[in-house]
């Protein structure tokens, strides 16, 4: 969202962050920035400006990433915030080690496999009925992630990292067309809750473009967390408010608009919140054309799916045809085998070269496979496959940021509240939306007679597609990237990698290029320009297309060039365009 430059100067001054060098890049939706001294790329100019300012003042990549993330919680509140979760991937320049934080939301201890089955008729709830309910909310992991990242690798306190974002929330930012449209799209659900209505439907309608959107409750929440630490969120007053909201949704006395479903309360308890624990799984690792690709392990399927598909392409040919075939095969395997509790040897096998050979041997260079393809057979050899499963999908929201500092540390962070607008409930008095992440579980078994790895369970984390990825060359950063977009995150990250590494594009070209996504469905889901540009050749090979989608993903990335340089890249057009910035041009 566009933050008025004059307010930026005031707010950052008040925060004690900036006095003279008014953030020249604030409000600047520049998609590419090349230079030195550190770099930031997010979907939002204000968040990018806040992150950049932290770098300019000597903060490292983690300090800047958390300050930018907290700002996104204000300006991109329908995609991410403290009511949600995410995955944080970090490269430490000193130890040359890639580490991760799994801040994924967690199901209540009382959840069972039948969590999303309506007891009244024994059938799964409709997605939207489950989504806009207390049932869809998992224990948020974002605040804990920020604290842990700062403690491990940062140099600033959580209070200091939250301060600029609190200022933005207090002083406000100008509503743009994307922000307004996101509210309009979910108005019927937002209008059911008093707190959400008050914040985002002033006068009963989405705010007009250009009006100033403020969120003093969120500013106060950030300051409270800054003062008291994350205990207040997981065990204190904020925890109480989250539990009350989930168990007794704050229904509006006079709803705005219509919503077709009853609002069901959830079962999340105070002890679920108090019991929240981050995980720190080893990153997934695969080699691709001499590069080392690090990604996020379970409960995200991103790392294994991207790694497996790259291996299949490497065993085949560097073309869009192989990209599409490899992603269909990787999705079949992900749907069958990957969930929060997938055993390590299985994950290892899925990103092994042997497995890639076994899967690649089903691809013909001249004829597209008929989709859906069955998953591979873990116990088989040759081209052995198992029986087919059903297609599984997730929603489209989320945000992603990429930050690097002058010391060579890198952060790739994707975080979300799941669908755009989460479960549609703003926690009264706290200013943030709750996630609907638990709808990323499969509501009912999808794999026929084979076990489904992604059914709900007590304290379980739903499978994700988020794919924050850091690529090293000779042990040093070469590329970092990630994107929102539900299950299309995996294909967006994969396609940008293939565009950059195999198809001769620069990084800005690789991000801007039209996208197509084959997730093991009959047809490729594509942006119109993808079909126009590549459709004839792909159709000749037998690929089919599903209905077009306006856009896929909203990626950010940084490439590391010789001599400590950066090419920071955000989207030129998608989601209204993102913002990339560097500390110094020279
Ligand atoms: N909930 C999704 C996931 O974890 C992300 C939502 C999205 O990007 O649309 O994969």
């Amino acid at each position: 969202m566009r933050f008025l430059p004059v307010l930026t100067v005031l707010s950052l001054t008040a925060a004690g962050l900036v006095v003279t060098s008014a953030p020249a890049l604030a409000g600047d939706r520049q998609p590419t920035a090349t230079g030195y001294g550190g770099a930031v790329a997010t979907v939002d100019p204000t968040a990018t400006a806040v992150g950049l300012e932290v770098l300019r003042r000597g903060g490292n990549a983690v300090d800047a990433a958390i300050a930018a993330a907290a700002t996104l919680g204000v300006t991109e509140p329908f995609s991410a915030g403290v009511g949600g979760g995410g995955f944080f991937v970090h490269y430490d320049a000193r130890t040359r080690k890639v580490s991760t934080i799994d801040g994924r939301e967690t199901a209540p201890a009382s959840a069972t496999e039948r969590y999303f089955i309506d007891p009244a008729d024994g059938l799964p709830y409709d997605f939207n009925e489950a989504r806009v309910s207390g049932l869809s909310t998992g224990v948020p992991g974002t605040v804990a992630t920020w604290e842990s990242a700062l403690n491990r690798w940062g140099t600033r306190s959580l209070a200091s990292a939250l301060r600029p974002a609190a200022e933005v929330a207090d002083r406000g930012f100008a509503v743009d067309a994307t922000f307004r449209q996101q509210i309009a799209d979910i108005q019927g659900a937002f209008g059911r809750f008093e707190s959400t209505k008050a914040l985002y439907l002033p006068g009963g309608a989405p705010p007009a473009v250009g009006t100033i959107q403020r969120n003093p409750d969120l500013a106060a929440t950030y300051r409270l967390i800054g003062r008291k630490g994350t205990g207040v969120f997981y065990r204190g007053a904020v925890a109480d408010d989250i539990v009350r909201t989930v168990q007794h949704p704050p229904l509006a006395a006079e709803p705005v608009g219509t919503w077709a479903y009853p609002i069901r309360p959830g079962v999340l308890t105070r002890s679920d919140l108090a019991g929240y624990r981050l995980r720190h799984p080893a990153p997934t690792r695969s080699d691709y054309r001499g590069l080392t690709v690090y990604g996020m392990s379970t409960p995200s399927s991103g790392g294994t799916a991207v790694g497996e598909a790259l291996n299949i392409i490497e065993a085949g040919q560097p073309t869009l045809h192989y990209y599409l075939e490899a992603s269909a095969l990787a999705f079949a395997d992900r749907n069958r085998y990957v969930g929060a509790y997938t055993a390590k040897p299985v994950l290892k096998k899925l990103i092994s070269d042997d497995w890639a050979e076994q899967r690649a041997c089903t691809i013909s260079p001249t004829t597209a496979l008929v989709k859906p393809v069955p998953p591979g057979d873990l116990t088989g050899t040759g081209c052995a496959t198992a029986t087919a499963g059903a297609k599984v999908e997730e929603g489209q929201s989320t945000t992603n940021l990429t930050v690097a500092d002058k010391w060579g540390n890198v952060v790739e962070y994707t975080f979300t509240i799941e669908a755009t607008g989460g479960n549609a409930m703003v926690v009264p008095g706290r200013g943030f939306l709750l996630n609907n992440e638990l709808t990323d579980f499969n509501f009912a078994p999808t794999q026929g007679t084979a076990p489904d790895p992604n059914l709900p369970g007590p304290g379980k984390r739903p499978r994700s597609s988020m794919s924050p990825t850091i690529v090293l060359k000779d042990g040093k950063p070469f590329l970092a990237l990630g994107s929102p977009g539900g299950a299309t995150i995996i294909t967006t990250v994969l396609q940008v990698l293939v565009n950059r590494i195999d198809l001769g594009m620069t990084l800005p070209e690789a991000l801007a290029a039209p996208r197509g996504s084959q997730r093991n469905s009959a047809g490729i889901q594509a942006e119109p320009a993808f079909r126009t540009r590549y459709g004839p050749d792909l159709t000749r090979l037998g690929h089919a297309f599903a209905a077009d989608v306006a856009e896929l993903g909203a990626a950010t990335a940084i490439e590391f060039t010789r001599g400590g340089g950066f090419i920071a890249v955000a989207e030129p057009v998608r989601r209204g365009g993102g913002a990339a910035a560097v500390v110094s041009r020279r």
Side-chain angles (χ1 to χ4, degrees), residues 355-370:
W355 182 255
E357 296 281 346
Q358 184 179 325
R359 299 301 274 145
C361 80
T362 63
I363 303 177
S364 150
T366 52
T367 314
L369 291 161
V370 176

Side-chain angles (χ1 to χ4, degrees), residues 276-351:
Y276 186 80
R277 295 291 176 270
L278 295 170
R279 296 174 61 254
H280 303 277
T284 60
R285 190 201 137 126
S286 50
D287 296 319
Y288 189 63
R289 305 199 194 287
L291 304 166
T292 315
V293 181
Y294 289 95
M296 196 65 220
S297 190
T298 51
S300 185
S301 58
T304 46
V306 169
E308 176 183 346
L310 287 173
N311 288 340
I312 294 172
I313 297 167
E314 200 172 26
Q317 293 171 8
T319 61
L320 274 184
H321 169 61
Y322 270 82
Y323 151 67
L324 295 165
E325 300 296 70
S327 53
L329 292 163
F331 262 92
D333 295 341
R334 164 227 195 236
N335 291 349
R336 171 61 52 88
Y337 300 116
V338 183
Y341 301 143
T342 305
K344 276 201 185 120
V346 172
L347 295 174
K348 238 177 147 174
K349 174 145 191 168
L350 291 176
I351 47 170

Side-chain angles (χ1 to χ4, degrees), residues 104 394-398 416 418 437 440 463-466 484-486 489:
R104 185 70 161 167
E394 292 112 40
Q396 301 262 346
S397 169
T398 312
T416 184
E418 214 303 282
E437 214 70 50
D440 272 358
R463 177 176 62 206
S464 170
S465 300
M466 290 187 271
I489 292 171

Side-chain angles (χ1 to χ4, degrees), residues 452-471:
D452 187 313
N454 190 36
L455 290 173
K460 190 175 175 184
R461 297 176 181 200
R463 177 176 62 206
S464 170
S465 300
M466 290 187 271
S467 309
T469 303
I470 295 180
V471 182

Side-chain angles (χ1 to χ4, degrees), residues 61-63 65-66 69 86-90 99-103 145-146 149-150 153 296 401 410-414 468:
V62 171
D63 302 326
I66 304 307
F87 298 104
F88 193 97
V89 180
H90 178 254
S99 314
T100 76
I101 303 175
D102 160 14
T145 301
W146 294 351
L150 288 167
W153 307 298
M296 196 65 220
L401 59 86
V410 186
V411 171
E412 190 61 48
Y413 183 31
T414 317

